[in-house]
DNA sequence: GATACGTGGTC
DNA sequence: TGACCAAGTAT
């Protein structure tokens, strides 16, 4: 007998067969390295930091080396910020690396080197928001909590609400949607798996572009598919360009700092973003403000906490 | 709620 | 080619 979840979406009753999703998950779940049995909560937390706004394929080559080098919070905290930023490489959003480093220090100092298992406590740690806190609680500690990322929001929008795309994010609403489903599962273990399966489904089947509805375990229940997969409304989103932005300028400057063991001169930074001096200075200032770079007494620049080198040569 | 924050792949 | 997208967080 299957577990039918009856819920309300868009004012109408919706029924979802939980066993369809759980059965699919048992077979289709990707064997990503951070899902192996011997991976610790800290190492799972590291993967979640890396996966924030970043595709799995880009994390795959970085994570194993990282956790082998720094397996625990205390080991991570003991590393210099410069080494952490270098190991982060070009994963993107380097402030994540800084926050991960800070997070490691707090866990080592205040939590005896053990990652907390309480969502509320996790949310107070640097770099951990409502998603990551629940991902750790759910994936590392098997708690039946809603783990709502962009994938889950899309799956719920389609299967439950019959909409092509998720609406604007609302932590309260999004959690309530998933909580309503989890509450209907008969035990915590299956609720936790259901939560994880929802996310996996969004990641590999119910994708933003070209969803594989023909292979979807929910194809019999999905309100969006049953309605004929109507297109979503045109979303007016601020153009997300990158070329020529301050973000790109910051990236170029940081790239230079990462690649040089020795502090670099302002002239070397000028070369990294030559066209617009005003923008370059703005980018540099923001990196300094963010603690992602520092200015030495002699006027040169380096990653924070880099190994001081007396050499006067710039490289 | 809107905005800033990297980087690279895809269609 | 350029717009969109990717396991979000902090302000």
């Amino acid at each position: 007998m299957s577990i039918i979840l009856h819920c309300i979406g868009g004012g109408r009753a919706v029924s979802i067969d939980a066993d369809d999703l759980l059965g699919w998950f048992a077979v289709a779940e990707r064997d990503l390295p951070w899902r192996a049995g011997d991976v610790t909560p800290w190492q799972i937390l590291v993967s979640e930091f890396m996966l924030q706004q970043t595709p799995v394929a880009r994390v795959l080559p970085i994570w194993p080396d990282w956790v082998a080098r720094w397996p625990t919070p205390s080991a991570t905290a003991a590393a210099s910020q410069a080494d952490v930023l270098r190991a982060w490489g070009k994963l993107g959003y380097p402030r994540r690396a800084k926050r991960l480093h800070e997070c490691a220090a707090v866990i080592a100092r205040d939590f005896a080197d053990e990652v907390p298992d309480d969502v509320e406590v996790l949310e107070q740690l640097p770099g951990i928001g409502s998603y990551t806190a629940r991902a750790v609680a759910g994936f590392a500690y098997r708690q039946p909590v809603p783990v709502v990322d962009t994938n889950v929001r899309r799956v719920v929008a389609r299967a439950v609400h019959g909409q092509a795309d998720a609406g604007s994010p609302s932590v309260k609403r999004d959690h309530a949607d998933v909580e309503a489903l989890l509450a209907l599962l008969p035990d915590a273990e299956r609720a936790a798996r259901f939560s994880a399966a929802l996310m996996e489904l969004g990641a590999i089947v119910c994708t933003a572009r070209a969803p594989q509805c023909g292979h979807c375990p929910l194809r019999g229940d999905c309100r969006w598919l049953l309605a004929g997969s109507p297109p979503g409304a045109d979303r007016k989103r601020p153009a997300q360009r990158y070329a020529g932005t301050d973000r790109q300028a910051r990236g170029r400057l940081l790239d230079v700092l990462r690649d040089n063991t020795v502090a670099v001169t302002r002239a070397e930074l000028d070369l990294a973003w030559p066209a617009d001096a005003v923008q370059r200075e703005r980018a540099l200032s923001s990196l300094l403000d963010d603690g992602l770079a520092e200015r030495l007494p002699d006027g040169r620049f380096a990653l924070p906490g880099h190994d001081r080198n007396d050499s006067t040569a710039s490289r």
Side-chain angles (χ1 to χ4, degrees):
Chain A
M1 54 180 141
S2 34
I3 304 165
I4 308 296
L5 311 181
H6 299 284
C7 54
I8 304 298
R12 295 193 181 187
V14 185
S15 300
I16 289 176
D17 188 329
D19 283 337
D20 285 344
L21 183 59
L22 291 168
W24 168 83
F25 189 51
V27 174
E29 181 184 11
R30 294 167 293 176
D31 68 346
L32 301 170
W34 42 87
R35 290 177 175 171
D38 57 346
V39 175
T40 66
W42 169 253
Q43 293 162 356
I44 290 173
L45 177 53
V46 170
S47 77
E48 292 301 340
F49 264 86
M50 293 181 172
L51 288 162
Q52 289 168 3
Q53 292 284 283
T54 306
V56 167
R58 303 220 350 246
V59 173
L60 246 17
I62 305 287
W63 181 86
D65 292 340
W66 185 291
V67 298
R69 183 177 183 184
W70 298 307
T72 63
S74 54
T76 311
S80 73
Q81 208 186 132
D83 283 346
V84 166
L85 285 169
R86 287 202 180 88
W88 195 260
K90 305 197 75 161
L91 250 193
Y93 291 139
R95 42 175 55 168
R96 289 182 295 165
K98 179 180 167 57
R99 289 176 181 145
L100 177 58
H101 193 220
E102 293 166 356
C103 185
V106 173
I107 293 174
R109 188 190 67 214
D110 297 343
F111 296 94
D113 228 17
E114 294 287 335
V115 176
D117 62 2
D118 185 276
V119 168
E120 310 269 303
V121 175
L122 285 163
E123 279 186 315
Q124 298 308 121
L125 297 173
I128 297 189
S130 70
Y131 162 76
T132 303
R134 288 169 180 76
V136 170
F139 303 155
Y141 294 114
R142 316 298 313 157
Q143 292 174 33
V145 293
V147 183
V148 182
D149 71 337
T150 185
N151 292 309
V152 172
R153 284 169 29 73
R154 185 173 52 249
V155 171
V156 171
R158 289 177 180 166
V160 177
H161 300 301
Q163 305 293 321
D165 305 294
S168 50
S170 157
V171 172
K172 209 176 185 77
R173 213 169 349 131
D174 296 339
H175 283 170
D177 276 348
V178 177
E179 190 68 67
L181 295 174
L182 298 188
L184 301 173
L185 274 298
D187 55 77
E189 172 56 27
R190 269 179 285 190
R193 281 189 67 76
F194 185 90
S195 185
L198 225 37
M199 195 164 128
E200 188 75 342
L201 186 69
I204 63 182
V205 174
C206 190
T207 50
R209 287 178 301 200
Q212 312 288 301
C213 299
H215 296 95
C216 181
L218 301 183
R219 62 188 178 282
D221 296 324
C222 178
R223 279 200 55 205
W224 181 59
L225 185 60
L226 295 176
S229 306
D234 286 335
R235 281 185 294 174
K236 35 182 175 285
R237 37 187 331 138
Q240 182 195 17
R241 55 178 187 294
Y242 180 58
T245 61
D246 285 12
R247 284 154 87 167
Q248 187 183 34
R250 282 168 55 105
R252 290 286 171 78
L253 297 180
L254 201 57
D255 208 21
V256 172
L257 299 180
R258 267 196 309 261
D259 288 347
N260 286 277
T261 309
V262 179
V264 304
T265 63
R266 184 176 284 276
E268 288 174 278
L269 291 181
D270 292 352
L271 259 34
W273 194 260
D276 187 337
V278 172
Q279 189 176 41
R280 181 173 64 241
E281 290 311 305
R282 190 166 61 229
L284 179 55
S285 294
S286 72
L287 286 173
L288 294 169
D289 287 346
D290 289 348
L292 293 172
E294 70 182 17
R295 181 180 192 154
L296 273 39
D298 65 7
R300 291 184 299 163
F301 298 90
L303 296 178
H306 80 124
D307 290 328
R308 292 298 194 281
N309 190 319
D310 290 338
S311 168
T312 51
S314 57
R315 46 186 308 144

